[in-house]
């Protein structure tokens, strides 16, 4: 194909091709998603600002420690996502305290709510972290050749983990418009799969989202809620729950009930943490968990 | 139990009492006919029978916060942290199911019967 003809072809096919000039002076083309520059982002979760019990008497301090570590990363993240339970009891003063700490992040911040952020009403959450482009709380965006979907599965108060018909319609429509080869990353608070339903660690209507995700080559689902790192894979979908910055919880079924788990003081920072996600060209993102101490 | 209609004077009164910050400042709870504890992620008792105008006290004994939220949204304690108490006067007869917003598998019911007229 002559170069002029090829340029015409590129113009016709749109922005799915990226040009690069090789050392030999030849123009080469490759799919945009494969040529996107590597980047990283960070996930933090479950800060529970306002919690004041012996399991962690200083949740503000451990969140601050996470923020400081993120700010010191050698590769600045493109953004930081907080996957919910920023506060313990949805109090405006707890959101204010959290914003003061999270406001020191150098990277842009994306926040989705946990059930502790919407007790009684989501108003305080939206006042603190609402987005103009997400009036209902859920949204999608593209970055570096990847497609991100941020979900809310804590708005139905009688079911811990439910997306609802309106959001499911949004997700199915949004994903239908993506190419099979586009890497997909999904954010949520409560696990999207049945991790441990007896403790409410599941999303009741998550199956429809998982069905819509199965056609993609590589899907990564990142969530919080259970205060511990658990990796789980179903076909092309990898699930990764994150450690909290506040306090750990028991492993599924390892105690009579969920809730704050007391560990020796010198071990607390080892079970709290943040997560970096490295996005490499044409590959599944690499998830790395970092303890706070 | 016979209840005086005068109890209905307190209709609609709700009182949230924060956990005591120290022993010298105990929660100031009004008299109640029933106390429901939230313990081990369950309400205890799961069913309580009272009369219109009666006050119920709810106490969170767990390390996790809970709420007392009516399924019909007619009352809502909002978040009760460990040791938190909340009181509610049920003014109308009926069956009130309630649950915890944070742990919706926690469910219970208060059955409110008509107030009993005072003896002549």
């Amino acid at each position: 194909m002559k170069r002029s003809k090829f340029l015409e072809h590129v113009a016709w096919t749109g922005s799915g091709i990226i040009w690069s000039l090789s050392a030999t002076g030849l123009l080469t083309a490759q799919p945009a998603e494969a040529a996107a520059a590597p980047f990283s982002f960070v996930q933090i979760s479950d800060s529970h600002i306002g919690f004041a019990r012996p399991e962690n008497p200083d949740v503000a301090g451990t969140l601050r420690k996470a923020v400081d570590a993120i700010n010191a990363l050698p590769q600045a993240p493109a953004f930081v996502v907080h996957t919910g339970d920023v506060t313990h009891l949805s109090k405006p003063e707890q959101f204010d305290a959290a914003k003061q700490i999270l406001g020191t992040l150098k990277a842009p911040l994306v926040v989705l709510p946990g059930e502790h952020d919407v007790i009684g009403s989501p108003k305080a959450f939206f006042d603190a972290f609402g987005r103009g482009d997400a009036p209902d709380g859920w949204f999608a965006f593209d970055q570096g050749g990847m497609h991100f979907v941020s979900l809310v599965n804590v708005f139905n108060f009688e079911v811990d983990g439910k997306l609802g018909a309106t959001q499911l319609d949004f997700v199915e429509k949004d994903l239908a418009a993506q190419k099979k080869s586009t890497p997909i990353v999904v954010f949520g608070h409560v696990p999207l799969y049945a991790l441990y339903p007896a403790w409410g660690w599941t999303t009741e209507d998550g199956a429809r989202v998982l069905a819509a995700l199965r056609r993609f080559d590589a899907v990564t689902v990142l969530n919080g809620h259970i205060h511990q790192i658990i990796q789980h894979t179903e076909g092309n979908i990898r699930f990764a729950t994150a450690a909290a910055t506040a306090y750990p919880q028991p492993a599924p079924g390892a105690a009579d009930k969920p809730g704050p788990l007391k560990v020796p003081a010198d071990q607390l920072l080892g079970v709290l943490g943040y997560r970096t996600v490295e996005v490499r060209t044409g590959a599944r993102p690499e998830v790395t968990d970092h303890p706070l101490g | 139990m016979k209840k005086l209609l005068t109890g209905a004077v307190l209709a609609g009164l709700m009182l949230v009492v924060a956990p005591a910050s120290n022993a010298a400042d105990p929660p100031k709870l009004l008299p109640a006919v029933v106390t429901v504890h939230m313990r081990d992620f369950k309400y205890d008792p799961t069913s309580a029978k009272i009369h219109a105008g009666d006050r119920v006290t709810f106490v969170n004994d767990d390390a996790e916060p809970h709420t007392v939220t009516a399924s019909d949204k007619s009352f809502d304690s909002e978040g009760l942290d460990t040791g938190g108490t909340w009181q509610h006067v049920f003014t109308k007869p009926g069956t009130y199911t309630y649950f915890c917003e944070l742990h919706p598998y926690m469910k219970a019911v208060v059955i409110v019967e008509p107030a009993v007229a005072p003896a002549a």
Side-chain angles (χ1 to χ4, degrees), chain B residues 85-104:
Chain B
T85 58
W86 182 72
Q87 295 189 303
H88 181 63
V89 176
F90 292 80
T91 59
K92 294 180 181 174
T95 298
Y96 297 88
T97 58
Y98 61 93
F99 65 99
C100 171
E101 276 187 19
L102 295 164
H103 314 96

Side-chain angles (χ1 to χ4, degrees), chain A residues 162-203:
Chain A
K162 188 164 185 178
L163 296 153
T166 305
Q167 187 172 193
L168 286 167
D169 291 345
F170 162 81
V171 174
E172 288 178 342
K173 188 175 175 186
D174 176 78
L175 290 176
Q178 310 307 317
K179 288 192 296 184
K180 174 179 177 291
S181 58
T182 300
I184 307 289
V185 175
V186 179
F187 301 137
H189 179 66
V190 179
L192 273 181
Y193 70 102
L195 195 158
Y196 198 69
W199 285 357
W201 293 358
T202 185
T203 298

Side-chain angles (χ1 to χ4, degrees), chain A residues 114-127:
Chain A
E115 77 280 7
H116 284 253
D117 298 320
V118 295
I119 298 172
S121 159
K123 183 180 183 305
F125 172 82
F126 280 127
D127 286 348

Side-chain angles (χ1 to χ4, degrees), chain B residues 23-59:
Chain B
D25 185 24
K28 295 175 178 59
L29 294 175
L30 296 171
V33 297
V34 175
T35 296
V36 177
H37 288 267
M38 289 161 266
R39 185 185 300 139
D40 294 339
F41 290 67
K42 292 172 186 159
Y43 297 102
D44 181 21
T46 54
S47 178
K49 190 173 287 186
I50 63 170
H51 292 90
D54 283 347
R55 183 185 296 107
V56 178
T57 298
F58 297 88
V59 182

Side-chain angles (χ1 to χ4, degrees), chain A residues 197-282:
Chain A
W199 285 357
W201 293 358
T202 185
T203 298
E204 184 185 88
D205 54 359
R208 264 179 68 182
V209 176
L210 302 186
L213 290 169
R214 290 212 169 87
R215 74 179 179 86
F216 293 97
D217 291 341
V219 179
T220 304
V221 181
L222 304 176
N223 64 269
H225 187 57
I226 70 168
H227 298 218
Q228 61 198 289
I229 299 163
I230 292 183
Q231 302 264 3
H232 172 79
T233 302
E234 292 184 18
N236 61 325
I237 307 174
R238 180 180 57 183
F239 303 87
T241 63
T245 68
Y247 54 84
Q249 292 204 68
D256 293 339
K257 56 190 177 184
L261 180 68
K262 184 81 174 82
V263 298
D266 61 351
Q267 295 175 23
L268 178 62
L269 294 179
V271 292
L272 307 179
Y274 65 97
R275 163 180 285 163
T276 54
V277 183
E278 305 284 338
V279 179
R280 295 162 299 163
T281 304

Side-chain angles (χ1 to χ4, degrees), chain A residues 52-144:
Chain A
R53 285 182 46 85
E55 292 85 352
N56 181 356
D58 185 15
V59 292
T62 48
L63 175 58
R64 204 173 290 116
K65 200 170 183 63
V67 167
D68 290 346
I70 294 164
N71 283 339
L73 285 170
Q75 180 190 2
F79 63 88
V80 176
V81 58
H82 194 301
T83 47
D85 283 358
V86 176
T87 69
H88 198 50
L89 292 172
S90 309
K91 306 277 189 195
E93 61 271 23
Q94 295 174 352
F95 280 110
D96 287 346
K99 283 184 75 171
Q100 284 189 23
I101 299 168
L102 293 169
T104 63
L105 280 166
K106 294 176 184 172
L109 176 66
V110 173
V111 184
L112 49 145
E115 77 280 7
H116 284 253
D117 298 320
V118 295
I119 298 172
S121 159
K123 183 180 183 305
F125 172 82
F126 280 127
D127 286 348
F129 295 113
R131 296 166 56 107
D133 62 346
D136 297 315
W138 49 83
F139 57 97
F141 63 98
D142 295 297
Q143 180 137 1

